Amino acid sequence: MQARHTLMASERSRLLPFVVSSGEISPRDQRDLMERPFFSLSKTKRTTPILYAVGDTRVEVFGMPEHGMATIWDADVLIWAASQIVEAENLGLTTSRFLRFTPYQLLTGIGRQTGARDYGLLRAALARLQSTVVATTIRNGQNWRRQQFSWITEWEICASRNGRAAGVEIVIPEWLYRGVIDRSLVLAIDPAYFRLTGGIERWLYRVARKHAGRQPTGWTFEIGHLHQKSGSLMRPSDFAIQIRRAAASQPLPGYRLNIERAGARELLRILPTDLSTHPVDNYANGIGTSHASTIGTSHAGLSGLHTHKPQLSLWPETVIPALNLSNLESNSYVDGKRRSADNPSCPSIAPFKGPGVGP
């Protein structure tokens, strides 16, 4: 293993690690990330900022010229990390913003291959997630207050002597971590999501899962409003064409897309079909994780989740003590009435320069 250097300012020096050693688990997504424009929907490098404002809700996303903005494919890393934290919390284990895992665990967990190219793409994704700067007023209560962070505050890929990636360390921001351990802010998603190849298709699925859920009448959006919510750089007319193509091909697992008209307005109605996910909106005690233990993929590896017994041999065994855990914007229509659609109440190494596009 390559030499490790001490970083006095490293967050990892102040946090105890959550060592991931699980098998297959149900994927979960964070509600705020599902309904607002936090990621680029394109596989080409984007440096044009996302500037989104509705009422008191602000989302600003900035990509650095060297790496570009984090993409919706890069967000798979955050979904996987959130899913691991949720599963561990469901089992009564202590978690942390500081995660340790193997690249193989992550890549197989999000349906990727594990060849050299995929490891290179992972390095590039981690670099984009760290270099992307997000500023938002979401989850700040009654007081207008802006929080700023990167999707990953630190990351490192530890390599063996032959250069093969053997372990990964990441630290996620407090804003995201708090949004994951709160049961009311997490939803189970269909594992088939990871097989969606188009950026708009992936974004549409997350919107569908967040807003339509399992409502028999689904949820309806004006396509112009969807364009605003997506943060896409496409012209509104081109974006509308992509939505119509999605409605024609029906790519979303568990949902059907219908184009409708209301006078001069073009609408997209999202209807649930045979969902593989069950409701996880009912939660208890307010803090913790979604009740999604029977959803999605097999739980064959649940007993393998241990914070005190690492699967990896790269780091010493660590006992993790208890951690101190410290929108009314959618113009959607249901049954012809406008409704709101907000949420219910080894030291760091320089990022590797991998390919600049998603998988």
Side-chain angles (χ1 to χ4, degrees):
M1 188 174 72
Q2 58 189 23
R4 300 173 64 91
H5 308 281
T6 302
L7 282 183
M8 299 306 294
S10 170
E11 278 198 276
R12 288 176 293 171
S13 67
R14 302 190 301 271
L15 296 170
L16 290 172
F18 166 43
V19 180
V20 176
S21 58
S22 68
E24 289 186 356
I25 64 170
S26 302
R28 281 87 161 190
D29 208 346
Q30 206 281 327
R31 286 176 180 263
D32 296 319
L33 273 59
M34 298 170 80
E35 67 169 321
R36 275 111 176 186
F38 281 106
F39 302 98
S40 170
L41 305 185
S42 172
K43 291 183 180 180
T44 58
K45 182 188 289 188
R46 172 172 176 169
T47 56
T48 303
I50 293 174
L51 303 174
Y52 174 79
V54 175
D56 290 335
T57 299
R58 301 283 192 278
V59 173
E60 301 173 357
V61 187
F62 304 91
M64 300 298 104
E66 182 179 1
H67 302 290
M69 183 182 297
T71 71
I72 199 164
W73 293 272
D74 300 337
D76 289 357
V77 175
L78 305 180
I79 293 174
W80 182 85
S83 304
Q84 295 292 338
I85 292 170
V86 166
E87 198 66 46
E89 294 270 338
N90 273 348
L91 294 172
L93 302 176
T94 303
T95 59
S96 168
R97 295 192 293 118
F98 174 13
L99 288 83
R100 285 174 169 168
F101 52 89
T102 66
Y104 181 85
Q105 286 174 305
L106 170 60
L107 292 171
T108 57
I110 59 177
R112 307 281 180 91
Q113 299 298 312
T114 56
R117 177 178 179 273
D118 302 282
Y119 284 99
L121 290 171
L122 173 58
R123 294 185 181 100
L126 294 173
R128 283 189 295 270
L129 288 165
Q130 184 182 38
S131 64
T132 297
V133 176
V134 179
T136 183
T137 60
I138 295 172
R139 279 192 270 126
N140 285 325
Q142 297 180 345
N143 299 318
W144 194 98
R145 188 164 54 89
R146 169 174 139 153
Q147 294 187 58
Q148 185 165 305
F149 52 87
S150 294
W151 291 121
I152 291 178
T153 60
E154 293 181 35
W155 67 274
E156 177 181 12
I157 293 183
C158 300
S160 59
R161 284 192 175 87
N162 62 9
R164 183 173 178 81
V168 182
E169 294 182 345
I170 65 171
V171 178
I172 63 174
E174 184 72 18
W175 184 89
L176 178 58
Y177 182 67
R178 289 182 179 272
V180 169
I181 62 173
D182 186 337
R183 283 188 178 96
S184 68
L185 297 178
V186 177
L187 286 174
I189 63 172
D190 195 311
Y193 165 80
F194 296 118
R195 296 197 293 271
L196 294 174
T197 58
I200 288 181
E201 294 171 357
R202 282 173 156 247
W203 176 79
L204 271 178
Y205 174 80
R206 298 174 88 186
V207 168
R209 182 67 186 96
K210 165 63 180 66
H211 291 290
R214 298 182 64 86
Q215 301 178 81
T217 56
W219 201 275
T220 306
F221 289 95
E222 290 187 22
I223 290 182
H225 180 61
L226 278 176
H227 180 257
Q228 180 190 17
K229 284 175 70 71
S230 73
S232 172
L233 290 176
M234 288 184 183
R235 295 180 303 175
S237 57
D238 292 335
F239 181 84
I241 290 172
Q242 294 300 316
I243 298 297
R244 293 183 204 117
R245 286 177 178 170
S249 62
Q250 298 296 336
L252 305 192
Y255 293 95
R256 187 171 74 252
L257 305 175
N258 293 336
I259 300 295
E260 299 179 357
R261 295 276 178 180
R265 294 176 304 167
E266 187 175 23
L267 310 175
L268 178 71
R269 182 178 290 274
I270 305 172
L271 292 164
T273 55
D274 297 325
L275 294 177
S276 69
T277 54
H278 298 284
V280 293
D281 300 328
N282 296 327
Y283 53 94
N285 302 325
I287 299 282
T289 54
S290 65
H291 290 295
S293 58
T294 61
I295 300 165
T297 58
S298 163
H299 285 269
L302 289 184
S303 61
L305 263 168
H306 299 292
T307 52
H308 63 284
K309 204 175 254 191
Q311 181 186 44
L312 310 181
S313 60
L314 295 173
W315 303 283
E317 213 170 87
T318 304
V319 177
I320 300 182
L323 201 63
N324 235 343
L325 302 179
S326 48
N327 21 38
L328 299 173
E329 65 186 71
S330 174
N331 68 345
S332 309
Y333 294 80
V334 176
D335 294 333
K337 297 180 180 179
R338 182 171 294 210
R339 284 182 50 175
S340 66
D342 212 350
N343 295 331
S345 319
C346 354
S348 288
I349 55 178
F352 290 86
K353 293 183 180 179
V357 299

